[in-house]
């Protein structure tokens, strides 16, 4: 009988160790997902939102519009092939920057050990809104690429980065451990 209780004690200890290891791996995976999402959202601020190559100009460099400078350049209404579109893009991008900031804050709040279910719900809503806004941004990029007849690229690194950040925000809300919630 004494031998059985020793075996049970050993098994219980091993189960506790396995639970601890699984929890550690779950936390590590979750925090890696949050870090990737936050990094993607931050990179979205600095990567080019729109880019254009001047075909007839003497410059070999591409003209680009990034998110933050696009807002600052609203009064100038842009240079190069984006004359009329720059004002519209800057207004849209201003709202886009605000949505990204709110989603980034919500994502970073999930990184903490103890959050409420409300915080997870808000982060989920931010991720959904961010993906919807990214869809609109992709439509804007494609419309501008079609409107400028080959002068601008239909690929937007900033929008891709932010789309990844929005998707990861939704993934983080799904992976958020239940035992971390208040």
């Amino acid at each position: 009988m004494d031998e059985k209780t020793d075996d049970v004690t050993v098994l219980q200890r091993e189960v506790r160790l396995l639970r601890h290891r699984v929890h550690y791996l779950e936390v590590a995976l979750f925090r890696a997902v949050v870090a990737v999402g936050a990094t993607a959202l931050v990179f979205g601020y600095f990567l080019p939102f729109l880019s254009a190559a001047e075909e007839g100009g003497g410059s070999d460099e591409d003209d680009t519009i990034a998110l933050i400078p696009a807002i600052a350049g609203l009064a100038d209404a842009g240079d190069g092939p984006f004359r009329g579109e720059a004002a519209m893009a800057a207004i849209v991008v201003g709202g886009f920057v605000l949505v990204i900031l709110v989603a980034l804050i919500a994502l970073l709040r999930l990184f903490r050990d103890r959050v409420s279910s409300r915080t997870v719900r808000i982060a989920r809503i931010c991720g959904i809104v961010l993906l919807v806004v990214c869809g609109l941004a992709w439509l804007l990029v494609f419309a501008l690429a079609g409107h400028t007849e080959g002068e601008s690229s239909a690929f937007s690194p900033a929008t891709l980065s932010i789309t990844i950040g929005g998707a990861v925000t939704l993934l983080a809300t799904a992976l958020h451990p239940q035992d971390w919630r208040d």
Side-chain angles (χ1 to χ4, degrees):
M1 189 82 138
D2 194 25
E3 191 174 308
K4 280 188 173 184
T5 58
D6 287 342
D7 288 343
V8 168
T9 305
V10 168
L11 287 175
Q12 287 175 338
R13 189 173 345 125
E14 288 178 4
V15 167
R16 277 195 306 273
L17 285 172
L18 284 175
R19 281 185 185 156
H20 178 71
R21 286 180 183 169
V22 167
H23 181 72
Y24 177 78
L25 290 173
E26 182 181 46
V27 169
L29 174 66
F30 174 74
R31 289 200 167 147
V33 166
V34 170
V36 166
T39 303
L41 290 175
V42 169
F43 277 165
Y45 280 120
F46 301 105
L47 293 173
F49 182 67
L50 295 172
S51 61
E54 294 183 28
E55 293 176 5
S59 173
D60 291 335
E61 295 182 21
D62 288 344
D63 292 326
T64 62
I65 293 179
L67 293 177
I68 303 296
I71 296 169
L74 179 60
D76 298 335
D79 293 333
F82 300 114
R83 285 178 181 73
E85 292 86 357
M88 177 186 66
I91 291 169
V92 169
V93 168
F96 198 37
V97 166
L98 184 62
V99 170
I100 295 165
L101 183 62
V102 171
L104 181 62
I105 291 168
L107 187 62
L108 291 177
R109 287 193 49 112
L110 290 180
F111 202 77
R112 300 183 329 177
D113 285 345
R114 285 288 184 216
V115 297
S116 66
S117 294
R118 181 177 178 225
T119 303
V120 176
R121 203 171 31 252
I122 289 171
R124 184 176 299 120
I125 291 168
C126 287
I128 291 168
V129 169
L130 191 58
L131 287 178
V132 168
V133 172
C134 283
L136 295 174
W138 279 113
L139 289 175
L140 176 67
V141 168
F142 293 144
L144 291 175
H147 181 68
T148 57
E149 298 174 12
E151 294 177 357
S152 67
S153 173
F155 177 69
S156 172
T159 308
L160 177 64
S161 179
I162 295 165
T163 303
I164 291 169
V168 168
T169 300
L170 284 178
L171 180 62
T173 61
L175 290 178
H176 192 269
Q178 289 288 336
D179 60 341
W180 283 17
R181 299 179 190 175
D182 290 336

